[in-house]
Amino acid sequence: MLFHVRMDVRLPHDMPEEKAAELKRVEKARAAELQQAGTWRHLWRIAGQYSNVSIFDVRDNDELHAVLSMLPLFPFMQIEVMALLRHPSSIRDGDR
């Protein structure tokens, strides 16, 4: 099942830079693992914001929640999720 997920990151202003840098490093590595596994299919930065729009390919809502809640930056994210269904007019066979 595909999900469109917008993630807005809000790190505390008083977080030490070293801690923020380590969180970002671990987050980047986890994102790469999920992309290589095919779970995190697309990842786009939103210009001018500490935000992204992503497409996740998971079994169901529960798996998506598990994946998102295990991200290192999850405690500092505002997340908006939209379930996606293949449009009947889509010419892309790989879309589901």
Side-chain angles (χ1 to χ4, degrees):
M1 187 169 188
L2 298 180
F3 290 90
H4 171 280
V5 180
R6 178 181 173 141
M7 293 177 260
D8 299 307
V9 180
R10 304 282 185 261
L11 294 177
H13 296 292
D14 60 348
M15 179 180 283
E17 182 55 39
E18 301 80 29
K19 181 174 180 176
E22 178 63 10
L23 275 172
K24 292 173 190 178
R25 184 191 69 74
V26 176
E27 179 85 11
K28 184 175 182 177
R30 182 67 181 133
E33 290 171 6
L34 290 167
Q35 289 175 77
Q36 290 168 350
T39 302
W40 198 328
R41 284 183 51 177
H42 299 281
L43 172 59
W44 294 279
R45 174 178 286 161
I46 299 174
Q49 299 178 33
Y50 193 2
S51 304
N52 72 73
V53 171
S54 298
I55 303 296
F56 284 84
D57 189 356
V58 293
R59 185 178 51 259
D60 54 26
N61 295 335
D62 290 332
E63 184 179 1
L64 178 65
H65 181 77
V67 167
L68 294 175
S69 64
M70 293 183 71
L71 294 173
L73 289 174
F74 178 77
F76 310 103
M77 290 181 183
Q78 178 178 333
I79 299 174
E80 179 182 309
V81 175
M82 290 182 273
L84 300 175
L85 300 171
R86 188 173 189 280
H87 195 284
S89 297
S90 175
I91 63 169
R92 306 277 181 240
D93 289 334
D95 294 343
R96 4 177 211 130

